[in-house]
Amino acid sequence: MTATAQVEDVAAELRSAAETAGAWPFEEARKIIERLKRKPKDEVLFETGYGPSGLPHIGTFGEVARTTMVRHAFRVLTDDKVPTRLLCFSDDMDGMRKIPDNVPDPAALKPYLQMPLTRVPNPFGGGYDSFGAHNNAMLRRFLDTFGFDYEFASATEYYASGKLDAVLLKAAEKYDAIMEVMLPTLGEERQATYSPFLPISPTSGRVLYVPLKEVNASAGTITFTDEDGVDKTVPVTGGKVKLQWKPDFGARWAALDVDFEMFGKDHQTNAPIYDRICEILGGRAPEHFVYELFLDEIGQKISKSKGNGLTIDEWLTYASPESLALYMFQSPRSAKKLHFDVIPKAVDEYYGFLSRYPSQDWKNRLGNPVWHIHSGNPPVEELPLTFGLLLKLASASNAEDKGVLWRIIERYAPGTSPATHPTIDKLAGYAVRYFIDRVKPYRKFDTPTPFEAQVLGELDAALAALGPADDAEIQNVILDVARKHPEYQNLKAKSPTGGPGVSRAWFEMLYRTLLGEKEGPRFGTFVAAYGIPETRALIARALSGELAKGAA
């Protein structure tokens, strides 16, 4: 078979598997294909929205990553014959309704409340001319680092340049119809003053939430009482007004002819409003995907203004973008806590999926997250250690730099070096930073009880009697020590020789007394990597009380 024929066979096999693939990006892509059958068009537009009222958080990245996954699935299902675009739209013309908690010198921003975010001074420095521009740049920096294929759009630029003028004039023409949609959703007091148009005050520059005295559709103007008490008439075009956020959603869909947009569950009840306004303005509502919200460690919704949860930069301090993309791929319709402790698990799960990919058939590959994370071309990686193990090695050795870890890695996996395994080198760096910032300050070593001290002594003796051994042999020795004691037996399980199994309590004791943590990697693998003499020294320090006293 020729190389060309092989490529064609693979493509056919991939396409066949994609037609029935159950992964959620394919399910969403098939909805877009059905949409095109009803009304064909030359290009499909995917959109994500971003509110730059605070520092970008991981949920923002999640929208772009997930939308990119749907876009790629669509391209595979259509043989890439339909051009696609991804537009990341920033609502940076919104008024700053409150000062975020996590900005330097909040008092300095007080005079700029209700001004468009692109007119609020930048409190962070760095050469950006406004608060909105700074936060937009933070988002773009990360998206560019990850390599997303997208176009960035600023609401300020779209309004001011006239790109939204046609739909704004249409909104003036359909003002009464829009009000019929909006008023039933509002309380009686708000109904009395509501308008879908928010004028930008010619006097103060603030976004005004004021009733309108007149909407002149033929002239394309609105009249209102400005902050100085004088009635003003301004055009709805050219950036002189903006739309309230619910009408703005639908108007943008109509103006840009958006085909797909996902949003969080907090928007779900408003989706019919967005759709109806889009239709009133002559558009066709896009396909939706509603995802569950991210929660912080105590179960509260992550907020840009509060700064709770994780920022993009914080995740990337301790792990790769790919591990974050995995977290976004998994169970998007389930609420998930997003805090520092989820990072190590996400890293190891990512490399676990990556290691299984080459041996899978196409059906399972298309369900494997790494296919979606890497747009169908995941890299090949063979790692001699997991990230979880590297973290425990960093903790046991009190590593302040990754050179300490490399001395352990090279002993455990001869021939491994930063040059031959650059991914391990990166993971070692992440592990050291995570240990210093997130583990070391919170470790609590338990002092062994008399019984625990006795059993640790037995483990020490068993390791001393063991010659050169691999992970499995060391693990068996560790298990054999535990099996002698009813306190650590698991009578519901059997050993290979028919004796009792070993309970989780044994390993929890080892983690508590030797590592100062509640859980850890397979202990035989840890000992093999850390070294038998080094592990025995760790046991001696635990037995002497040195670890519990905080001398680690």
Side-chain angles (χ1 to χ4, degrees), residues 468-495:
D470 60 20
D471 305 31
E473 292 169 323
I474 295 173
Q475 183 76 359
N476 286 335
V477 166
I478 295 169
L479 293 171
D480 286 342
V481 171
R483 289 189 183 106
K484 300 174 185 177
H485 301 279
E487 293 86 347
Y488 296 130
Q489 291 174 356
N490 178 6
L491 300 181
K492 295 181 181 180
K494 295 290 185 182
S495 72

CSV table of all heavy atoms in Angstrom, one decimal, residues 468-495:
chain,number,residue,atom,x,y,z
A,468,PRO,N,19.3,-4.8,46.3
A,468,PRO,CA,18.8,-4.1,45.1
A,468,PRO,C,17.4,-4.7,44.7
A,468,PRO,O,17.3,-5.9,44.6
A,468,PRO,CB,19.8,-4.3,44.0
A,468,PRO,CG,21.1,-4.6,44.8
A,468,PRO,CD,20.7,-5.4,46.0
A,469,ALA,N,16.4,-3.8,44.5
A,469,ALA,CA,15.1,-4.2,44.3
A,469,ALA,C,14.4,-3.2,43.4
A,469,ALA,O,14.7,-2.0,43.5
A,469,ALA,CB,14.3,-4.5,45.6
A,470,ASP,N,13.4,-3.7,42.7
A,470,ASP,CA,12.6,-2.8,41.9
A,470,ASP,C,11.3,-2.4,42.7
A,470,ASP,O,11.1,-2.8,43.8
A,470,ASP,CB,12.2,-3.4,40.5
A,470,ASP,CG,11.4,-4.7,40.7
A,470,ASP,OD1,10.8,-4.9,41.7
A,470,ASP,OD2,11.3,-5.4,39.7
A,471,ASP,N,10.5,-1.6,42.0
A,471,ASP,CA,9.3,-1.0,42.7
A,471,ASP,C,8.4,-2.1,43.3
A,471,ASP,O,8.0,-2.1,44.4
A,471,ASP,CB,8.4,-0.2,41.7
A,471,ASP,CG,9.2,0.9,41.0
A,471,ASP,OD1,10.4,0.7,40.8
A,471,ASP,OD2,8.5,1.9,40.7
A,472,ALA,N,8.1,-3.2,42.5
A,472,ALA,CA,7.2,-4.2,42.9
A,472,ALA,C,7.8,-5.0,44.1
A,472,ALA,O,7.0,-5.3,45.0
A,472,ALA,CB,7.0,-5.2,41.7
A,473,GLU,N,9.1,-5.3,44.1
A,473,GLU,CA,9.7,-6.0,45.2
A,473,GLU,C,9.6,-5.2,46.5
A,473,GLU,O,9.3,-5.7,47.5
A,473,GLU,CB,11.1,-6.4,44.8
A,473,GLU,CG,11.2,-7.4,43.7
A,473,GLU,CD,12.7,-7.6,43.2
A,473,GLU,OE1,13.4,-6.5,43.1
A,473,GLU,OE2,13.1,-8.7,42.9
A,474,ILE,N,9.9,-3.9,46.3
A,474,ILE,CA,9.8,-3.0,47.5
A,474,ILE,C,8.4,-3.0,48.0
A,474,ILE,O,8.1,-3.0,49.2
A,474,ILE,CB,10.4,-1.6,47.2
A,474,ILE,CG1,11.9,-1.7,46.8
A,474,ILE,CG2,10.1,-0.7,48.3
A,474,ILE,CD1,12.4,-0.4,46.3
A,475,GLN,N,7.4,-2.9,47.1
A,475,GLN,CA,6.0,-2.8,47.5
A,475,GLN,C,5.6,-4.0,48.3
A,475,GLN,O,4.9,-4.0,49.3
A,475,GLN,CB,5.1,-2.6,46.3
A,475,GLN,CG,3.7,-2.4,46.6
A,475,GLN,CD,3.3,-1.0,47.1
A,475,GLN,OE1,4.2,-0.2,47.3
A,475,GLN,NE2,2.0,-0.8,47.4
A,476,ASN,N,6.1,-5.2,47.8
A,476,ASN,CA,5.7,-6.4,48.5
A,476,ASN,C,6.3,-6.5,49.9
A,476,ASN,O,5.6,-7.0,50.9
A,476,ASN,CB,6.2,-7.6,47.7
A,476,ASN,CG,5.4,-7.9,46.5
A,476,ASN,OD1,4.2,-7.5,46.4
A,476,ASN,ND2,6.0,-8.5,45.5
A,477,VAL,N,7.5,-6.0,50.1
A,477,VAL,CA,8.1,-5.9,51.4
A,477,VAL,C,7.3,-5.0,52.3
A,477,VAL,O,7.0,-5.4,53.5
A,477,VAL,CB,9.6,-5.4,51.4
A,477,VAL,CG1,10.1,-5.1,52.8
A,477,VAL,CG2,10.4,-6.5,50.7
A,478,ILE,N,6.9,-3.9,51.8
A,478,ILE,CA,6.0,-2.9,52.6
A,478,ILE,C,4.7,-3.6,53.0
A,478,ILE,O,4.2,-3.5,54.1
A,478,ILE,CB,5.8,-1.7,51.8
A,478,ILE,CG1,7.1,-0.9,51.6
A,478,ILE,CG2,4.8,-0.7,52.5
A,478,ILE,CD1,7.0,0.2,50.5
A,479,LEU,N,4.1,-4.3,52.1
A,479,LEU,CA,2.8,-5.0,52.3
A,479,LEU,C,3.0,-6.1,53.3
A,479,LEU,O,2.2,-6.3,54.2
A,479,LEU,CB,2.2,-5.5,51.0
A,479,LEU,CG,1.8,-4.5,50.0
A,479,LEU,CD1,1.4,-5.2,48.7
A,479,LEU,CD2,0.6,-3.7,50.5
A,480,ASP,N,4.1,-6.8,53.2
A,480,ASP,CA,4.3,-8.0,54.2
A,480,ASP,C,4.5,-7.5,55.6
A,480,ASP,O,4.0,-8.2,56.5
A,480,ASP,CB,5.6,-8.7,53.7
A,480,ASP,CG,5.4,-9.6,52.5
A,480,ASP,OD1,4.2,-9.8,52.2
A,480,ASP,OD2,6.4,-10.0,51.9
A,481,VAL,N,5.1,-6.3,55.8
A,481,VAL,CA,5.2,-5.8,57.2
A,481,VAL,C,3.8,-5.5,57.7
A,481,VAL,O,3.5,-5.8,58.9
A,481,VAL,CB,6.0,-4.5,57.2
A,481,VAL,CG1,5.9,-3.8,58.5
A,481,VAL,CG2,7.5,-4.8,56.8
A,482,ALA,N,2.9,-4.9,56.9
A,482,ALA,CA,1.6,-4.6,57.4
A,482,ALA,C,0.7,-5.8,57.6
A,482,ALA,O,-0.1,-5.8,58.6
A,482,ALA,CB,0.9,-3.7,56.3
A,483,ARG,N,0.9,-6.8,56.8
A,483,ARG,CA,0.0,-8.0,56.9
A,483,ARG,C,0.1,-8.7,58.3
A,483,ARG,O,-0.8,-9.5,58.7
A,483,ARG,CB,0.3,-9.0,55.8
A,483,ARG,CG,-0.1,-8.6,54.4
A,483,ARG,CD,0.0,-9.6,53.4
A,483,ARG,NE,-0.4,-9.1,52.1
A,483,ARG,CZ,0.5,-8.9,51.1
A,483,ARG,NH1,1.8,-9.1,51.3
A,483,ARG,NH2,0.0,-8.4,50.0
A,484,LYS,N,1.2,-8.5,59.0
A,484,LYS,CA,1.4,-9.2,60.3
A,484,LYS,C,0.6,-8.6,61.4
A,484,LYS,O,0.5,-9.2,62.5
A,484,LYS,CB,2.9,-9.1,60.7
A,484,LYS,CG,3.9,-9.7,59.7
A,484,LYS,CD,5.3,-9.4,60.1
A,484,LYS,CE,6.3,-9.9,59.1
A,484,LYS,NZ,7.7,-9.5,59.5
A,485,HIS,N,0.0,-7.4,61.1
A,485,HIS,CA,-0.7,-6.7,62.2
A,485,HIS,C,-2.2,-6.6,61.8
A,485,HIS,O,-2.6,-6.0,60.8
A,485,HIS,CB,-0.1,-5.3,62.4
A,485,HIS,CG,1.3,-5.4,62.7
A,485,HIS,ND1,1.8,-5.6,64.0
A,485,HIS,CD2,2.5,-5.2,62.0
A,485,HIS,CE1,3.1,-5.6,64.0
A,485,HIS,NE2,3.5,-5.4,62.8
A,486,PRO,N,-3.1,-7.1,62.7
A,486,PRO,CA,-4.5,-7.0,62.4
A,486,PRO,C,-5.0,-5.5,62.2
A,486,PRO,O,-6.0,-5.3,61.4
A,486,PRO,CB,-5.2,-7.5,63.7
A,486,PRO,CG,-4.1,-8.4,64.3
A,486,PRO,CD,-2.8,-7.8,63.9
A,487,GLU,N,-4.3,-4.6,62.8
A,487,GLU,CA,-4.7,-3.2,62.6
A,487,GLU,C,-4.6,-2.7,61.2
A,487,GLU,O,-5.3,-1.8,60.8
A,487,GLU,CB,-3.9,-2.3,63.5
A,487,GLU,CG,-4.1,-2.5,65.0
A,487,GLU,CD,-3.2,-3.6,65.6
A,487,GLU,OE1,-2.6,-4.4,64.8
A,487,GLU,OE2,-3.1,-3.7,66.8
A,488,TYR,N,-3.8,-3.4,60.4
A,488,TYR,CA,-3.6,-3.0,59.0
A,488,TYR,C,-4.1,-4.0,58.0
A,488,TYR,O,-3.8,-3.9,56.8
A,488,TYR,CB,-2.1,-2.6,58.8
A,488,TYR,CG,-1.6,-1.5,59.6
A,488,TYR,CD1,-0.4,-1.6,60.4
A,488,TYR,CD2,-2.3,-0.3,59.6
A,488,TYR,CE1,0.0,-0.5,61.1
A,488,TYR,CE2,-1.8,0.8,60.4
A,488,TYR,CZ,-0.7,0.7,61.1
A,488,TYR,OH,-0.2,1.7,61.9
A,489,GLN,N,-4.8,-5.0,58.5
A,489,GLN,CA,-5.3,-6.0,57.6
A,489,GLN,C,-6.6,-5.6,57.0
A,489,GLN,O,-7.4,-4.9,57.6
A,489,GLN,CB,-5.4,-7.3,58.3
A,489,GLN,CG,-4.1,-8.0,58.7
A,489,GLN,CD,-4.3,-9.2,59.6
A,489,GLN,OE1,-5.5,-9.6,60.0
A,489,GLN,NE2,-3.2,-9.9,59.9
A,490,ASN,N,-6.8,-6.0,55.7
A,490,ASN,CA,-8.1,-5.9,55.0
A,490,ASN,C,-8.6,-7.3,54.8
A,490,ASN,O,-8.2,-7.9,53.8
A,490,ASN,CB,-7.9,-5.1,53.7
A,490,ASN,CG,-9.2,-4.9,53.0
A,490,ASN,OD1,-10.3,-5.3,53.4
A,490,ASN,ND2,-9.1,-4.4,51.8
A,491,LEU,N,-9.5,-7.7,55.6
A,491,LEU,CA,-10.0,-9.1,55.5
A,491,LEU,C,-10.9,-9.3,54.3
A,491,LEU,O,-11.3,-10.5,54.0
A,491,LEU,CB,-10.8,-9.5,56.8
A,491,LEU,CG,-9.9,-9.4,58.1
A,491,LEU,CD1,-10.7,-9.8,59.3
A,491,LEU,CD2,-8.6,-10.2,58.0
A,492,LYS,N,-11.3,-8.2,53.7
A,492,LYS,CA,-12.2,-8.4,52.5
A,492,LYS,C,-11.3,-8.6,51.2
A,492,LYS,O,-11.9,-8.9,50.1
A,492,LYS,CB,-13.0,-7.1,52.3
A,492,LYS,CG,-14.0,-6.9,53.4
A,492,LYS,CD,-14.9,-5.6,53.1
A,492,LYS,CE,-15.9,-5.4,54.2
A,492,LYS,NZ,-16.7,-4.2,54.0
A,493,ALA,N,-10.0,-8.5,51.4
A,493,ALA,CA,-9.1,-8.7,50.2
A,493,ALA,C,-8.1,-9.9,50.6
A,493,ALA,O,-7.9,-10.2,51.8
A,493,ALA,CB,-8.3,-7.5,49.9
A,494,LYS,N,-7.5,-10.4,49.6
A,494,LYS,CA,-6.5,-11.5,49.8
A,494,LYS,C,-5.2,-11.1,49.2
A,494,LYS,O,-5.1,-10.5,48.2
A,494,LYS,CB,-7.0,-12.8,49.1
A,494,LYS,CG,-8.3,-13.4,49.7
A,494,LYS,CD,-8.1,-13.9,51.1
A,494,LYS,CE,-9.3,-14.6,51.7
A,494,LYS,NZ,-9.1,-15.1,53.0
A,495,SER,N,-4.1,-11.6,49.9
A,495,SER,CA,-2.8,-11.4,49.3
A,495,SER,C,-2.6,-12.5,48.2
A,495,SER,O,-3.3,-13.4,48.1
A,495,SER,CB,-1.8,-11.6,50.4
A,495,SER,OG,-1.7,-12.9,50.8
